[in-house]
Amino acid sequence: MSIASDYANALYDVGKSDFPSKSDLLANLRTVLKRRGHEKFLPQIYTEYQKLALREKRLARHKKVTPEQERTRILLELYRALSRA
């Protein structure tokens, strides 16, 4: 993992919690980056943050069971039961 992905993970985890203000969170991040000399990583942090958000969105969509998937699962179970008999 890179420094940028570590920052993005931390930012994402804190962003999901009940932090009082998102703008304060970003201001604090910028202050920390400037203090540590990591301000150059800001574009990479943003890219990694977008990847995390997209991953969560896709995971939620993947976990959602649609009626078609449920119907297919039931038909496969019936087919397997009938083919064993």
Side-chain angles (χ1 to χ4, degrees), residues 13-84:
D13 290 341
V14 172
K16 289 192 322 187
S17 67
D18 294 331
F19 200 77
S21 172
K22 302 297 182 193
S23 61
D24 290 343
L25 177 65
L26 293 176
N28 291 344
L29 174 68
R30 187 168 204 108
T31 304
V32 168
L33 292 175
K34 187 179 279 190
R35 186 175 349 132
R36 294 182 181 178
H38 291 165
E39 223 173 357
K40 61 187 174 193
F41 292 119
L42 201 54
Q44 295 168 347
I45 293 170
Y46 179 67
T47 303
E48 291 294 325
Y49 186 87
Q50 285 180 323
K51 287 179 187 177
L52 290 171
L54 182 62
R55 186 177 116 213
E56 183 175 327
K57 182 180 173 183
R58 287 181 176 169
L59 186 62
R61 186 174 25 165
H62 179 72
K63 286 183 177 180
K64 182 180 174 185
V65 178
T66 63
E68 293 83 18
Q69 290 172 331
E70 184 64 20
R71 194 174 320 123
T72 302
R73 184 189 64 79
I74 291 170
L75 286 172
L76 280 172
E77 285 179 10
L78 287 172
Y79 173 76
R80 287 182 185 133
L82 289 173
S83 63
R84 286 187 210 137

